[in-house]
Amino acid sequence: MSFIESLDAFLATFVYYAWGKPLLILLVGGGLFLLISSRARPYRHLGHSIDLLRGKYDDPKDPGQVPHRQALSTALSGTLGLGNIAGVALAISTGGPGAILWMWVTALVGVATKFFTATLAVMYRGRDAAGELQGGPMYVIREGLGKKWLPLAYLFAIAGLCGLLPVFQSNQTVQLLRESFALPMGWVGAENALTFDLAVGVLLAIAAMVVIIGRIQRIGRFAVRVVPAMVVFYLALTLVVIGYFWDQVPAAFALIFSDAFTGNAVVGGTLGTVVATGISRGAFSNEAGIGSESLAHGAAKTTEPVREGVVAMVGPIVDTLVVCTCTALVILLTGAWQHGEGVEGVSLTASAFSQVFGHWGPLLLLVMVVPLAFSTIVTYWYYGVKCFNFLFGPRWQWLYSALYILLIVIGAVASLNIVNNVIIGMYAVMAVPTMVSTLILSGKVNRAADRYFAKFDPLKNKAQ
C-alpha cells in the first residue's frame, strides 16, 4: 500500500469515528435544546432580520469592522458555493438521497444554533495580541468561560487552522473548469491535464492575494456584491431544471423521505451511513454548530449582540433549506446520481445540468461556482488568520498567509478523498468546543434576548 493510500485510509477512519453518534447527538440534540430553551424565538423573529439586513439599525460608530449585511454575506460566502453543489453531490453519492433529509434537520435546528453562536460571538468579543476587537468561539470561551476552559479555545483554533483551508474549493473549481470548459474546447488532454490544473491554481492564488490584502473590509465588500447575485443566478438555473421535470418532483421528495429511514439506496443499505453523511454534509454546508461562521459575525458593527444572532440565523435557511434542496432536486430529477458511477463532487452536479442544458449546463454552473468558490477561499483565509493570531499572535501572520496561498495551488492538484476527509474531520473537532461553550452560555443569550425583544413588543412597551 502506497503512502497516499495509507493516508487516505487513516483519514477515512478518523472521519468515521469523529462523526460518530456522540457528535451527531451534540450537534442535533444540542440544537434542539437551544431551540426549545429559546421557545423557538429565532423562528418568531425572522422579520426583524430583514430590517437589520436592510441597514435599518446600522450605526457606523458602533464597535466592529463591517455592517450586518456584510457580516452575513461574508459568513454565507464561507458556506455557499461548493458546499451546496459538490457537497450535496457527495452526500447523495455517499449516503444516498435520504442524506438530504438529515441535511434539512441540521438546517432546522441550525437556525437556533446560529442565533446563539453569533450572539455569543459579539457578546464575548475579546482583544487579540494586537489589541484589535475580535469575535469567535475561542474568544467566547476565553472571555465567557474563563481560563480553566482555555484548552477548548486552543482546540478550536488548532482545528480551524487545519479545517478552514482552501484546498477543497480550489480542487473542485479546477475540476469543473477542466471537465466543463477546457476538455470540450480541446485545450486539455490527458498529457497536459496536470499542467492546466496547476496553472488555474496559480491564477486563483494570485487573485486571492489581491483580495486578502484588504482584509475583512475588502472581503466583506466583495462578498456582499458577489454572493446575492450568484445565489439568484443559481436558483434561476435550478428552477428551470425543476420545472422541466415538474411532474417528478413529488416522487423525488418521496425518495428522500423513504431512503432517509431505510438506507436502501446506499451500498450495503446502512442507515447509519445515511444519517452520518447527511448531518456531516449539512454541517459542512451551513456550518451551524461548527463555529467558523461566528468568526465573521463577531466582526459585525453593533452594540447589541442579539442583533447579529438574528442576522446569522438566516444563513441555514438560505444555504441548506433553499440552495442545497435545489441542488439535490436537480441531481435526483435528472437521474444523474444513478448513472454517475465513478463521478463525484461537482462533476456529478455538472452532469445533472447537462441533462437539460446540454453542453451549456456545466458552463452555466461554472459562472456561478467560480465566484462563490473564490469568495469562500478568501473568507476562509480570514477565518484561518483569526485562529492563527489567537495561537501565535500577529507577528507571524505573513507566514500563515504565504502557506495559505501555496495551499490554493496544492489543492488544485490534490486527491479529492484526502482533501475531503481532512476538512470534514476538522469540522467535527471544531464543533466540540463550539457546542459545549454555546450550551453552557445559552442561558445568558436567552436573558439578553428577552431584554432585547422586549423593546420591540408594543404591548410590553405600552404597559411600561
Side-chain angles (χ1 to χ4, degrees):
M1 184 181 288
S2 68
F3 171 74
I4 296 295
E5 290 173 333
S6 300
L7 179 61
D8 195 13
F10 169 77
L11 290 172
T13 303
F14 169 65
V15 169
Y16 176 79
Y17 285 106
W19 282 97
K21 287 182 181 178
L23 184 64
L24 302 186
I25 293 170
L26 181 63
L27 279 173
V28 178
L32 281 172
F33 170 80
L34 296 173
L35 186 60
I36 294 168
S37 70
S38 66
R39 302 185 302 279
R41 180 182 284 115
Y43 288 101
R44 292 188 280 118
H45 293 284
L46 282 170
H48 187 48
S49 65
I50 304 303
D51 288 338
L52 290 167
L53 290 171
R54 287 171 49 217
K56 185 175 179 180
Y57 300 96
D58 282 358
D59 185 345
K61 296 178 182 179
D62 282 346
Q65 295 160 305
V66 293
H68 290 297
R69 187 170 62 257
Q70 289 187 20
L72 178 64
S73 294
T74 301
L76 281 174
S77 72
T79 59
L80 286 168
L82 288 169
N84 310 90
I85 300 169
V88 172
L90 284 168
I92 293 174
S93 61
T94 305
I100 302 304
L101 184 136
W102 298 106
M103 290 183 72
W104 293 339
V105 169
T106 68
L108 289 170
V109 299
V111 170
T113 303
K114 282 221 179 178
F115 171 75
F116 279 82
T117 55
T119 299
L120 288 170
V122 177
M123 185 181 292
Y124 291 107
R125 287 196 274 210
R127 301 280 175 182
D128 61 15
E132 210 172 320
L133 198 62
Q134 302 286 1
M138 57 276 201
Y139 293 100
V140 169
I141 294 167
R142 189 185 73 183
E143 305 296 325
L145 297 180
K147 291 184 179 180
K148 67 178 181 179
W149 293 91
L150 270 177
L152 273 184
Y154 291 128
L155 177 64
F156 177 88
I158 292 168
L161 279 181
C162 299
L164 297 168
L165 297 174
V167 282
F168 181 80
Q169 284 72 27
S170 175
N171 181 284
Q172 293 287 274
T173 302
V174 168
Q175 179 181 324
L176 185 61
L177 277 166
R178 181 188 350 105
E179 297 185 10
S180 303
F181 187 71
L183 281 173
M185 296 290 289
W187 293 359
V188 176
E191 71 284 350
N192 62 344
L194 183 61
T195 303
F196 174 83
D197 292 354
L198 192 60
V200 175
V202 170
L203 288 175
L204 279 174
I206 293 171
M209 196 184 310
V210 172
V211 178
I212 282 170
I213 291 171
R215 305 190 68 189
I216 181 62
Q217 289 81 4
R218 184 175 294 176
I219 294 171
R221 290 193 297 270
F222 175 80
V224 82
R225 290 182 176 91
V226 169
V227 172
M230 290 302 100
V231 169
V232 171
F233 176 72
Y234 182 66
L235 291 178
L237 289 182
T238 57
L239 287 174
V240 170
V241 178
I242 293 168
Y244 190 83
F245 294 97
W246 66 270
D247 57 326
Q248 299 176 36
V249 171
F253 277 106
L255 178 61
I256 291 171
F257 280 96
S258 63
D259 188 58
F261 299 100
T262 62
N264 289 336
V266 185
V267 177
T270 308
L271 180 57
T273 301
V274 181
V275 178
T277 301
I279 293 178
S280 64
R281 277 291 150 195
F284 180 57
S285 168
N286 58 55
E287 298 183 12
I290 304 301
S292 52
E293 78 291 341
S294 296
L295 297 167
H297 289 297
K301 280 182 170 292
T302 184
T303 55
E304 293 279 4
V306 174
R307 280 183 183 166
E308 194 56 29
V310 174
V311 169
M313 68 191 190
V314 176
I317 297 172
V318 174
D319 182 280
T320 307
L321 294 181
V322 177
V323 181
C324 284
T325 299
C326 287
T327 301
L329 286 174
V330 166
I331 293 171
L332 296 178
L333 290 171
T334 59
W337 69 285
Q338 293 176 309
H339 309 295
E341 187 175 351
V343 179
E344 57 182 5
V346 73
S347 295
L348 181 60
T349 309
S351 174
F353 275 99
S354 297
Q355 302 291 322
V356 174
F357 295 105
H359 69 277
W360 288 103
L363 294 177
L364 290 169
L365 186 62
L366 191 66
V367 172
M368 179 264 190
V369 164
V370 173
L372 284 184
F374 180 74
S375 68
T376 303
I377 287 172
V378 294
T379 297
Y380 275 15
W381 169 83
Y382 172 67
Y383 291 169
V385 159
K386 292 186 76 167
C387 292
F388 184 90
N389 288 348
F390 183 82
L391 293 168
F392 307 110
R395 182 180 177 184
W396 300 102
Q397 179 178 314
W398 65 269
L399 184 61
Y400 172 81
S401 296
L403 179 60
Y404 190 88
I405 295 297
L406 179 62
L407 284 171
I408 296 174
V409 180
I410 293 173
V413 295
S415 162
L416 177 58
N417 283 338
I418 291 176
V419 166
N420 185 47
N421 285 332
V422 168
I423 293 173
I424 289 293
M426 288 301 103
Y427 265 51
V429 176
M430 291 161 65
V432 175
T434 299
M435 288 302 296
V436 168
S437 59
T438 300
L439 290 169
I440 292 173
L441 295 168
S442 61
K444 295 189 176 183
V445 175
N446 283 327
R447 288 191 289 275
D450 285 339
R451 291 191 296 271
Y452 178 77
F453 288 117
K455 302 174 187 177
F456 300 96
D457 188 328
L459 293 178
K460 286 186 179 181
N461 290 335
K462 188 175 180 180
Q464 292 173 357

